[in-house]
Amino acid sequence: MNLHEYQAKQLFSQYQIPVPPSKVISDIAELEQLPDQAWVVKAQVHSGGRGKAGGVKLAKNLAETIDFSQQLLGTELITPQSGGKGLPIDKLLLEPLSDIAQEFYLSLLIDRSQARLVMIASKAGGMDIETVAEQQPEAIFQQTIDPISGLQAYQTRQLAFALGLADKAINQFTHIGLALYRLFLDTDASLIEINPLVLSKDLQLLALDAKINLDDNALYRHPKLIELRDLRQEDAREALAKQYQLNYITLEGNIACMVNGAGLAMATMDLVKRQGGLPANFLDVGGGTNADRVAEAFKLIVSDSQVKAILVNIFGGIVRCDLIAQGIIQAMQEIKLDLPVVVRLEGTNAKQGQQMLADSGLKITATQDLSTASQQVVALAKGTDRIK
Ligand code: GDP
Ligand code: MN
């Protein structure tokens, strides 16, 4: 789960990580009481790269601030990182314009190859860090954190020296680094990034941007953080899927897949691709699925207007294939599905399930063989024009 910049900055404040004073607005009328001065107007969307996309604007005075706010609020922002999708701008963060002497990059993330947390700092702040890593790897400094001893002050000092910080900025950097580490552990984060961390003209360090990604699997431990979720920033189908405990990811193809088990789902998608088709989604309905969940999963995949054919691949290990067949029939009748469906049922009561599908009179091709099933679904997807 991602947080908005303004939410991340509130957490920063609680951990004494310095951030500029700010105001969050969701209505232009709230601007009226603001002092007439230079402001930064920042679109609150779940994506980086807002600056390049025109979502961060520097206003000279209040009149310009109101102008920029009107241009942004209520519209959508497509950034270089939003995957072509427009994200709704429901809120703006306003901050007095900071006087920047230098911009740095600072982050804390999980390095899976080392199985350790790593703190990363760079002088090339405000830039896309992946580009910096590619083009000037020597500009990136890292400290690997031992999970037993935790981040040590000497490690943050080494980063501060590498950044060329001096005097009290070194202490301030250490303070920020250690606080960031505590915040990371306390929230079960998977990434915290400050880009840019700026040194102001009066030599104070300040987090001008804030990005926090939280580990979804640990969210159950953080009811307060769950409240910060903004579903409008998330893919609508993926958000709906979470409600039904379906593991669903939207992809760009036109063949919907419904499978029980993540590994089987991956293998199914591979087979579809091998036959020359493109999966419209990844969907794992779970090992112990039931008729109701199958019905919800059906509704979910057909709500994607790209979908031209559906491949259901269920291995009845824990579940019984006859119950799955019942769920498929029930769902198809309920939503009056007009798309071709190929069903591969294997395992407990597979024959019985297939018989039920055959007797249903619905547009279902049933098979026990996965290769045949994937061939069939690819052929069907090529030959169908979706009626909508
Ligand atoms: P991002 O593009 O989504 O990462 O948004 P940022 O919050 O990083 O803002 C983009 C850029 O706007 C920053 O790298 C800064 O260069 C600039 N910026 C943001 N706030 C201020 C500010 O208060 N003063 C000045 N001079 N520049 C700012
Ligand atoms: Mn940034």
Side-chain angles (χ1 to χ4, degrees):
M1 176 177 134
N2 291 335
L3 297 184
H4 279 296
E5 177 192 5
Y6 78 93
Q7 296 167 328
K9 282 181 169 168
Q10 280 163 8
L11 288 168
F12 280 10
S13 283
Q14 287 169 26
Y15 281 75
Q16 276 83 48
I17 297 168
V19 293
S22 66
K23 186 168 170 66
V24 184
I25 66 148
S26 45
D27 194 322
I28 299 291
E30 295 170 74
L31 290 173
E32 279 164 17
Q33 298 105 27
L34 285 190
D36 188 3
Q37 58 171 68
W39 292 92
V40 186
V41 182
K42 308 183 82 177
Q44 297 301 288
V45 294
H46 280 188
S47 171
R50 294 165 303 166
K52 283 191 198 116
V56 176
K57 296 197 188 283
L58 312 183
K60 288 196 276 296
N61 50 40
L62 185 59
E64 248 187 32
T65 306
I66 294 173
D67 240 23
F68 287 142
S69 301
Q70 274 167 340
Q71 285 169 30
L72 290 173
L73 204 59
T75 64
E76 289 193 340
L77 190 71
I78 301 177
T79 78
Q81 297 173 26
S82 70
K85 260 188 284 189
L87 297 168
I89 306 175
D90 296 329
K91 287 191 164 68
L92 297 174
L93 180 70
L94 299 163
E95 293 175 349
L97 197 67
S98 304
D99 258 344
I100 302 175
Q102 231 183 322
E103 296 189 62
F104 302 102
Y105 172 95
L106 178 64
S107 72
L108 191 55
L109 49 86
I110 300 165
D111 178 346
R112 287 170 206 279
S113 60
Q114 295 190 73
R116 294 279 189 275
L117 294 190
V118 173
M119 185 163 271
I120 296 177
S122 172
K123 276 193 226 185
M127 289 169 62
D128 176 28
I129 198 67
E130 282 83 7
T131 314
V132 178
E134 233 170 71
Q135 293 172 358
Q136 14 166 185
E138 71 285 350
I140 291 183
F141 309 105
Q142 301 194 18
Q143 287 289 331
T144 301
I145 301 166
D146 184 292
I148 306 288
S149 50
L151 178 68
Q152 298 292 305
Y154 81 86
Q155 296 184 292
T156 63
R157 278 195 295 274
Q158 285 189 347
L159 289 175
F161 298 149
L163 295 180
L165 294 174
D167 306 328
K168 66 174 197 227
I170 297 173
N171 281 342
Q172 215 196 344
F173 183 88
T174 291
H175 175 87
I176 292 172
L178 294 174
L180 210 60
Y181 181 64
R182 274 200 311 277
L183 174 61
F184 194 101
L185 296 187
D186 288 353
T187 56
D188 286 311
S190 51
L191 168 79
I192 304 185
E193 189 182 71
I194 307 178
N195 188 21
L197 172 71
V198 302
L199 189 65
S200 64
K201 296 252 163 76
D202 54 355
L203 303 182
Q204 296 290 322
L205 284 172
L206 204 58
L208 266 210
D209 194 7
K211 176 175 178 171
I212 298 184
N213 289 352
L214 300 171
D215 182 347
D216 284 347
N217 292 319
L219 274 179
Y220 73 96
R221 303 204 284 213
H222 306 285
K224 279 267 167 328
L225 295 175
I226 293 175
E227 286 171 23
L228 302 180
R229 170 158 246 150
D230 182 355
L231 289 175
R232 278 173 52 80
Q233 300 289 325
E234 296 181 20
D235 182 279
R237 271 187 294 278
E238 287 176 20
L240 193 67
K242 277 197 192 115
Q243 277 180 27
Y244 294 105
Q245 291 162 329
L246 300 165
N247 296 309
Y248 176 93
I249 294 162
T250 302
L251 300 171
E252 63 276 7
N254 61 8
I255 298 174
C257 303
M258 188 198 303
V259 188
N260 64 337
L264 191 58
M266 300 292 277
T268 306
M269 288 160 60
D270 282 350
L271 274 172
V272 167
K273 277 200 109 160
R274 192 172 165 176
Q275 300 292 348
L278 263 189
N281 66 278
F282 167 92
L283 171 58
D284 165 21
V285 292
T289 195
N290 55 34
D292 280 346
R293 256 216 241 158
V294 167
E296 289 310 328
F298 253 109
K299 287 183 207 162
L300 194 68
I301 55 188
V302 297
S303 70
D304 177 355
S305 59
Q306 307 259 51
V307 171
K308 294 233 166 95
I310 301 170
L311 173 59
V312 181
N313 181 18
I314 301 285
F315 181 80
I318 303 168
V319 295
R320 280 167 34 200
C321 290
D322 55 320
L323 288 182
I324 294 298
Q326 189 194 324
I328 294 170
I329 293 166
Q330 182 189 313
M332 284 181 70
Q333 285 168 342
E334 201 181 312
I335 60 181
K336 302 196 172 45
L337 192 76
D338 58 0
L339 291 174
V341 180
V342 177
V343 181
R344 181 253 183 170
L345 286 177
E346 179 59 287
T348 313
N349 293 355
K351 287 250 147 51
Q352 211 177 318
Q354 280 172 357
Q355 194 56 50
M356 288 165 70
L357 295 176
D359 295 344
S360 70
L362 294 163
K363 225 188 324 182
I364 299 174
T365 315
T367 163
Q368 237 174 312
D369 173 61
L370 185 51
S371 299
T372 319
S374 52
Q375 248 165 29
Q376 282 169 329
V377 80
V378 171
L380 285 164
K382 284 189 178 137
T384 354
D385 276 322
R386 178 148 188 193
I387 315 142
K388 250 227 130 171

